Amino acid sequence: MGCAIITLDRAYMFTDGRYFLQAAEQMDSNWTLMKQGLPDVPTWQDFLHKELPPNSRIGIDPTLIAASDAQSISSSLAANSSSTLVPLADNLVDQVWADRPTRPKTKVRALAVEFAGQSSQEKVEAVRAELKKEKADAIVVTMLDEVAWLFNLRGSDINFNPVFFAYAVITTTTSTLYIDPVQLSVVSSQPNSSASSASGKSSSFTTVISSDHLPLDLKIKPYTDIWTDLSTLGSNSTKVLVGSKASMKVLESINGDSAAGDSTASSSAAHIVSMISPTPASSTQGKSGDAAKAVGILVRSPIADLKTIKNETEIYGFRACHVRDGVALARYFAWLEEVLEKGEEVSEWNAAEVLEKYRSENELFRGLSFDTISSTGPNAAIIHYSPDPKDCAIIKQDQMYLCDSGGQYLDGTTDVTRTWHFGKPSEEERRAFTRVLQGHIAIDTAVFPQGTTGYQIDTWARRPLWQDGLDYRHGTGHGVGHFLNVHEGPQGIGMRITYNDTALKKGMTVSNEPGYYADGRFGIRIESIVIVREVSTPYNFGDKGSYLGFEHVTVSPIHTKLVNVSLMSPAEVEWLNEYHKEVWEKVSPGLKAVGDERAERWLERECKPIGLDAAR
């Protein structure tokens, strides 16, 4: 995850703290690693005007750079260096990438209403209600998870994310899906069809999609038709909403930029800004007038906001799939502990394969939600580490073991991290683990008024670590999709100012994952998924509505061997004991059902309450 800037004699790679160690290990001497977030290290956007020579022509792929980024960069370049962005018709990396894989075209499947909780027709009508509020003619949908959510469809074009390559345009009277025809098989609905019913419900996850699963006015067009249709849309509309993450090319296609994609065009800052910044409506003289305004308007995507609030069916699914996931995790950790005690060698990769096997036995399982981070000792300090099947470490009893993993189920998405030590942990490791646990508990038990953002509560997770002079270089939580991307925006908990744009609302799902990473030695993270819910309070200051808190749905033990109880308050110890009681009650029946007595014994031991005496 990052951005590369290539000059005539240097190559720079910009990334954040999650990838510092990994990037340093994987890049060769041709690259200079730019550690964003550290003092005196500019962002890649600032680098363009601070470090490149004045009057530079900076090539960009307009399909990859966000229109909002293009606007702010162009303005900054004009003010500071007189350099310009030059949209290129052909991506220069593609020209030298000889063995680049072709774009996937996997079959798209229908997600039944019994899992989605709302029909695609209802979702389209909700989007049209937003168009009416904004007095807009249409909205262009470019984010893949938004397209999938809107039409209750799922694909597998991108590993671990059940999405497919597509665009959509919703107007006040029509809806259009742009997709490669080979990916979608739609048949006319039939009475008493086994694929669906009149309600659109189905227990199958089929590639043969009944027409009544889709909006009544839906048109399906080839994927590449989007560009000419956007131009037509711009010519025939007065206001088209475009999500703020859309590419520069999308907005230029709507707003009629004849220079878009011209590798010889001199792209001035004023020109780029004019394509994506509308002039006041009062100055409009029509598309051909001298003061014609931009029709395409960058906005916060209303579909993203609709998607983040999970309905009751989706919330039920999150609870259910996390219990099944907890069964797989208990079976895995019990197995791993046993084989290590026997002295058997298990690599990080092989262990991850066993965990995937246990998950695959669960009902409604459709695959992993990301590459399992199975990491031992110093590898656990690499925040987004992924073991190489051909060259990875052997898990050792005398080292910390961090496992961050998740599954995709028809009824939800899971993401859970637990940290273990199968030998005797050091006091430093126990103290750091306890501080991370205290931060985790602080978020889990948080109560806050409506309108509070994840930016405002992020420090609650860091405070215990800060007491010891510790911290972590990642956010405390990210949004989670419902059988969609495991990372979902715009909601989240973190120190990035963008998290202050989105209030936490009832029905949102986010992760709670503070951590600590001792470079080259060990790593710790405790992650559970929580749902924003209403909580009861004795008072309601200012009559602001119900206060909010979190409901955790992840049910997997937290390793009490690593807990230094003397650092904890009685309330924190009580929380841990109550959590383990809940884990036992929800997970043990599933273990009994599959007949895994080893995992039952392990879970019972790991869920035993710890004493309060040391915390008094």
Side-chain angles (χ1 to χ4, degrees), residues 176-181 219-226 228-229:
T176 307
L177 174 64
Y178 296 88
I179 185 172
D180 192 296
K219 299 177 183 177
I220 299 172
K221 302 189 71 174
Y223 181 74
T224 54
D225 281 8
I226 183 67
T228 54
D229 282 6

Side-chain angles (χ1 to χ4, degrees), residues 5 44-60 65 69-86 267-270 272-273:
I5 295 178
W44 68 267
Q45 294 93 334
D46 286 342
F47 181 90
L48 295 176
H49 71 79
K50 288 182 177 180
E51 303 295 334
L52 296 185
N55 300 309
S56 293
R57 287 167 53 80
I58 304 166
I60 57 170
I65 188 169
D69 271 342
Q71 177 183 10
S72 60
I73 292 170
S74 294
S75 297
S76 181
L77 289 173
N80 295 284
S81 69
S82 299
S83 296
T84 56
L85 294 182
V86 181
S267 179
S268 68
I272 291 178
V273 172

Side-chain angles (χ1 to χ4, degrees), residues 4-228:
I5 295 178
I6 314 297
T7 71
L8 295 178
D9 56 359
R10 299 287 297 275
Y12 301 88
M13 171 64 181
F14 293 77
T15 192
D16 61 41
R18 294 170 297 172
Y19 302 99
F20 287 172
L21 294 178
Q22 185 176 353
E25 288 183 4
Q26 295 180 349
M27 294 193 308
D28 62 25
S29 59
N30 289 300
W31 291 91
T32 299
L33 175 60
M34 304 296 287
K35 298 181 178 180
Q36 291 188 136
L38 295 189
D40 302 321
V41 178
T43 63
W44 68 267
Q45 294 93 334
D46 286 342
F47 181 90
L48 295 176
H49 71 79
K50 288 182 177 180
E51 303 295 334
L52 296 185
N55 300 309
S56 293
R57 287 167 53 80
I58 304 166
I60 57 170
D61 182 339
T63 66
L64 297 182
I65 188 169
S68 55
D69 271 342
Q71 177 183 10
S72 60
I73 292 170
S74 294
S75 297
S76 181
L77 289 173
N80 295 284
S81 69
S82 299
S83 296
T84 56
L85 294 182
V86 181
L88 303 178
D90 297 309
N91 187 303
L92 300 185
V93 175
D94 291 347
Q95 293 183 19
V96 298
W97 191 354
D99 59 347
R100 180 181 178 180
T102 58
R103 180 170 60 82
K105 299 178 182 180
T106 60
K107 281 289 187 181
V108 171
R109 296 173 179 267
L111 181 67
V113 174
E114 66 186 273
F115 299 120
Q118 190 179 22
S119 72
S120 59
Q121 183 67 44
E122 291 172 315
K123 292 179 178 181
V124 167
E125 292 304 325
V127 172
R128 287 184 176 139
E130 296 297 322
L131 291 179
K132 185 176 181 180
K133 286 181 189 177
E134 297 295 326
K135 299 180 180 179
D137 302 306
I139 182 171
V140 180
V141 190
T142 64
M143 301 301 291
L144 303 188
D145 60 333
E146 294 181 20
V147 175
W149 175 86
L150 183 61
F151 296 115
N152 287 342
L153 299 173
R154 297 296 187 268
S156 54
D157 283 354
I158 298 177
N159 288 341
F160 311 115
N161 300 290
V163 297
F164 48 93
F165 287 103
Y167 292 96
V169 174
I170 307 298
T171 73
T172 55
T173 58
T174 65
S175 53
T176 307
L177 174 64
Y178 296 88
I179 185 172
D180 192 296
V182 303
Q183 295 185 258
L184 195 62
S185 299
V186 180
V187 297
S188 298
S189 58
Q190 300 292 330
N192 303 317
S193 168
S194 61
S196 65
S197 67
S199 65
K201 289 190 175 183
S202 170
S203 59
S204 63
F205 186 53
T206 177
T207 58
V208 179
I209 302 168
S210 173
S211 59
D212 66 0
H213 180 84
L214 301 169
L216 297 174
D217 54 27
L218 181 67
K219 299 177 183 177
I220 299 172
K221 302 189 71 174
Y223 181 74
T224 54
D225 281 8
I226 183 67
W227 305 115
T228 54

Side-chain angles (χ1 to χ4, degrees), residues 562-583:
L562 283 165
V563 175
N564 183 339
V565 183
S566 67
L567 297 174
M568 298 178 70
S569 70
E572 289 168 335
V573 174
E574 182 180 5
W575 179 93
L576 185 58
N577 287 337
E578 285 298 314
Y579 177 73
H580 281 147
K581 179 182 177 183
E582 178 187 354
V583 171

Side-chain angles (χ1 to χ4, degrees), residues 321-511:
C321 73
H322 276 85
V323 172
R324 298 194 301 275
D325 212 58
V327 171
L329 288 164
R331 299 182 71 189
Y332 168 66
F333 289 129
W335 165 83
L336 182 59
E337 180 183 81
E338 182 176 276
V339 297
L340 292 178
E341 286 179 349
K342 290 179 179 179
E344 298 179 21
E345 284 196 351
V346 181
S347 74
E348 296 165 324
W349 171 266
N350 289 334
E353 290 284 284
V354 173
L355 175 54
E356 182 175 0
K357 172 184 174 295
Y358 283 130
R359 272 202 172 99
S360 69
E361 296 173 8
N362 283 337
E363 183 183 8
L364 306 181
F365 178 77
R366 297 301 306 178
L368 300 182
S369 55
F370 55 95
D371 257 328
T372 297
I373 301 173
S374 173
S375 53
T376 186
N379 290 339
I382 302 174
I383 297 170
H384 279 185
Y385 173 80
S386 180
D388 184 337
K390 299 178 181 178
D391 182 23
C392 62
I394 299 299
I395 300 173
K396 296 183 174 64
Q397 267 191 303
D398 61 353
Q399 291 181 333
M400 297 283 270
Y401 175 70
L402 185 154
C403 183
D404 186 348
S405 65
Q408 293 284 10
Y409 299 87
L410 293 181
D411 54 350
T413 299
T414 69
D415 182 1
V416 53
T417 308
R418 290 296 183 262
T419 306
W420 300 90
H421 199 299
F422 299 105
K424 185 177 180 180
S426 69
E427 285 307 307
E428 178 191 8
E429 291 168 332
R430 293 180 68 233
R431 186 179 186 96
F433 183 92
T434 305
R435 292 308 193 194
V436 171
L437 173 59
Q438 289 174 303
H440 183 89
I441 294 172
I443 296 297
D444 188 273
T445 58
V447 176
F448 45 90
Q450 295 192 37
T452 301
T453 67
Y455 178 81
Q456 292 172 301
I457 68 172
D458 176 82
T459 56
W460 300 1
R462 298 178 194 269
R463 182 176 178 273
L465 287 155
W466 287 353
Q467 287 180 292
D468 281 7
L470 306 177
D471 205 347
Y472 49 96
R473 295 190 183 105
H474 59 74
T476 298
H478 56 82
V480 181
H482 177 266
F483 186 32
L484 273 173
N485 298 354
V486 73
H487 280 215
E488 174 184 79
Q491 78 276 27
I493 304 171
M495 300 182 76
R496 288 189 294 163
I497 193 64
T498 52
Y499 284 134
N500 209 33
D501 295 337
T502 304
L504 296 169
K505 297 178 182 179
K506 177 184 175 183
M508 284 183 172
T509 45
V510 294
S511 65

Side-chain angles (χ1 to χ4, degrees), residues 65-75 85 242 246-255 257 269-279 293-299:
I65 188 169
S68 55
D69 271 342
Q71 177 183 10
S72 60
I73 292 170
S74 294
S75 297
L85 294 182
V242 181
S247 72
M248 178 181 175
K249 183 173 180 178
V250 167
L251 210 56
E252 289 184 332
S253 296
I254 296 171
N255 290 335
D257 177 20
H271 174 71
I272 291 178
V273 172
S274 71
M275 285 297 101
I276 50 189
S277 296
T279 57
K293 74 183 184 78
V295 172
I297 310 296
L298 281 181
V299 297

